Every structure is written in structure tokens, then in C-alpha cells.
Amino acid sequence: MLNNLRKRDRYEFYYLNQVKKRDGVYALGQYIPMSVDKARRVIDQIRGRSYEESLMILELMPYRACYPILKLIYSAAANGSHNKGFKKSDLLITKAEVNKGTTMKKLKPRARGRSYMIKRPTCHITIVLKDMSYLKGFREYITTFPLKGRQELMAAVNSKSKFGIYALRLLLIGEMDWEEPKLD
């Protein structure tokens, strides 16, 4: 199958397979005592960002939900560096989700012998980090494309087809130079 493809297409096919095969590392925090909405407000700010950038954002945000999320990101990065040998500077948050957990219930005594229910919501937070260092060669190679080829690739990534892989979209929107290479 690969023999019938052009050199550029073989290169793209190889890197797309690398993106699919390369597993991420994750950290899961369960029964964290806070509301799902309050945790999602913070998670939405760091989804799709690099490890170092997300740490800076979380340290400067004034919300109580930042500390447990910061601990989870540290834990996921430690898992990646220890278990798979990833560099922390090359990690990218590809998936961050917050799910509703159980609700802790307590009874508070009130006047006239009545009781009042206190509900304390919990949430489960999942952080998935992926190593994007193997895409550096693809970044360097794609800058040699002619302008029309890069526009076609960008159109394919932004389309609703299966080709539009999340990692490639981040790659192309990120540190990509879309100008023609200068030939001296």
C-alpha cells in the first residue's frame, strides 16, 4: 500500500500512524470534594495547552479548583517521565474531563427538632497527556510544502472527516509558519 503513495503521502501516513499508536499517560482524581461546574471552569482553560503553560495558568488563577487539578497534572507528568520516559517539556494536555461523582450528604440540626440536608458534591477529574516530540520532524518537513499544499492539508484537518485528528489540528494551529520558505 505504501509503495503506491508519493513520498510526501508516505511521510504523512507514517506520522498519522505514530499519532494513533502513541499512547498518552493519565492521572485520575476521584471523589474530589467540589462542584463539577467549578472544576470545568478551570479545566476548559488548560485543555489543549502544553504542560508548562498549563502549570503557569493554574498557579495564577484565583480559583479553589486549581490546586487539585495542578496536583493531577503533576502526577500525570510524573507518570509519563517515570513509566514511558517522556520529557515534561514535550507533553501536551490532549484530554481533560470532569465527571460528576457521588454527593456526600449530612444532616444539620435545625430549630424545633428538625434537620436540614447538607449536600456536598464530588467530581472525578481525568487528565491525559501525550508526548508530541515525535512530531517535530513533521513540523520541519511541512514547512517545505508549497503554499497550496499546506492549504489543502489545513482544509483536510479542519474538515469533519476522520483525517482531522486532534493532534494534527494542534500541530498545525500551533507553532507553524505558513509563509513560503525563503530560497537564498
Side-chain angles (χ1 to χ4, degrees), residues 9 22 36 57 63 79 84 91 99 106 139 141 170:
D9 294 334
R22 195 78 176 220
V36 176
I57 289 171
Y63 303 120
N79 289 344
K84 295 197 176 186
L91 293 175
N99 297 320
K106 297 189 279 187
R139 280 191 190 128
Y141 181 74
L170 290 175

Side-chain angles (χ1 to χ4, degrees), residues 27-29 32 67-77 125-127:
L28 176 66
I32 297 173
Y67 184 68
I69 294 171
L70 187 72
K71 285 175 60 176
L72 279 173
I73 292 176
Y74 274 132
S75 175
I125 302 174
T126 306
I127 304 283

Side-chain angles (χ1 to χ4, degrees), residues 144-162:
T144 62
F145 281 22
L147 183 61
K148 186 177 179 184
R150 283 183 270 166
Q151 288 172 347
E152 289 173 2
L153 184 60
M154 191 65 177
V157 169
N158 285 331
S159 71
K160 300 285 184 186
S161 68
K162 291 184 179 180

Side-chain angles (χ1 to χ4, degrees), residues 106-118:
K106 297 189 279 187
L107 292 175
K108 183 176 182 181
R110 302 297 290 192
R112 298 176 138 196
R114 299 178 189 198
S115 61
Y116 181 74
M117 181 77 72
I118 297 175

Side-chain angles (χ1 to χ4, degrees), residues 44-56:
D44 290 340
Q45 298 297 320
I46 63 166
R47 187 179 290 120
R49 297 186 186 263
S50 69
Y51 168 72
E52 294 169 346
E53 187 180 1
S54 63
L55 291 183
M56 287 189 290

Side-chain angles (χ1 to χ4, degrees), residues 1-15:
M1 177 182 165
L2 286 178
N3 294 333
N4 297 336
L5 298 173
R6 295 186 320 231
K7 180 181 177 185
R8 185 178 85 190
D9 294 334
R10 282 196 302 264
Y11 203 82
E12 290 172 13
F13 186 76
Y14 169 74
Y15 276 103

